[in-house]
Amino acid sequence: MGVTVEVHRVYRYPFEQVVASYLRKYPSPMEKHVTAVETVEEKTDLSTGIIYRRRIATCQNVIPEILRKVSVLKVPDIYLEEESWLNMEKRSMAMRSHCLTWTQYASLSEESVFRESLENPNWTDFTQKGRISVTGAGLLNCVLEAFAQSFLKQGVKKGIKIMETLLQEQWG
C-alpha cells in the first residue's frame, strides 16, 4: 500500500544561504536522532558545473520498543543515502534519499528540490515528497506504515524548524 508525505515551504533567504545551511544541518543538537552525516562522494561536472554529492546519514532507530520485539527491527542504527545535484547557475539543488536499512521489508524514498523562488529571487522554494511502503511484515505492515507516516510528518516539521533556526542564526 504505502503512505506519502508532501511539503512545500518558502524560505525568505537567498538560495545560496539556504543551501549552505542545509548542507550543515546535521548532525545538530536540535535533532538528536541523526548522529552522523558523511560525504562519501563529491564531484563536479566540468561541462555543466553541477556538483554531485552522495552522503550517508546514520540515525538512531526510533521504532517503538514494542515493535522491536520483531527481531529484524531490533537494530541500533538506520542508514540513509542522499544524493544531490547542485546547480549554482540555475540556482537549484535536487536531492534523492532512500533508506539502506530493511530494504527487503520496506522502501523509504524522498525527492526534494531547493530553487530560487519565482515570487522573489531573494527567497528559496523548497518542495519535498516522501513515500514509505512496508512489505513482508504481515499484519504489522499497516501499523509500521502508520507509525512511519506520523514520524515523517513530525520529521518534516522538525527539519523545517531546524533550517529556519540555522538561517536565522547565520544570516539573521
Side-chain angles (χ1 to χ4, degrees), residues 6-71:
E6 294 184 44
V7 66
H8 175 255
R9 180 74 179 179
V10 176
Y11 294 105
R12 293 177 178 233
Y13 293 88
F15 172 78
E16 294 78 8
Q17 293 174 355
V18 172
V19 167
S21 293
Y22 175 80
L23 291 173
R24 66 179 186 83
K25 181 176 170 184
Y26 299 117
S28 163
M30 293 180 270
E31 174 52 89
K32 64 182 186 267
H33 299 300
V34 180
T35 57
V37 175
E38 179 186 355
T39 300
V40 294
E41 185 179 0
E42 184 170 326
K43 59 187 176 186
T44 303
D45 182 322
L46 298 177
S47 65
T48 63
I50 294 174
I51 300 167
Y52 168 81
R53 282 186 191 88
R54 188 166 62 91
R55 306 190 310 167
I56 305 293
T58 304
C59 307
Q60 292 175 345
N61 185 350
V62 295
I63 290 181
E65 201 61 44
I66 191 154
L67 294 176
R68 289 195 214 184
K69 303 278 187 233
V70 178
S71 62

Side-chain angles (χ1 to χ4, degrees), residues 84-156:
S84 66
W85 295 265
L86 174 59
N87 186 329
M88 293 302 284
E89 185 180 318
K90 292 186 178 176
R91 298 183 84 205
S92 69
M93 184 167 77
M95 295 167 293
R96 227 179 20 222
S97 305
H98 66 274
C99 189
L100 298 173
T101 308
W102 301 315
T103 56
Q104 69 274 40
Y105 301 103
S107 68
L108 176 145
S109 61
E110 287 180 350
E111 293 187 9
S112 308
V113 176
F114 288 103
R115 68 169 37 109
E116 178 182 299
S117 173
L118 296 175
E119 189 179 340
N120 182 328
N122 289 315
W123 295 353
T124 305
D125 282 332
F126 171 66
T127 56
Q128 183 176 63
K129 184 175 185 176
R131 179 167 173 72
I132 294 180
S133 179
V134 178
T135 58
L139 297 174
L140 284 179
N141 286 359
C142 291
V143 172
L144 290 169
E145 284 179 353
F147 169 76
Q149 183 176 34
S150 170
F151 183 76
L152 269 182
K153 284 181 179 178
Q154 291 172 6
V156 165

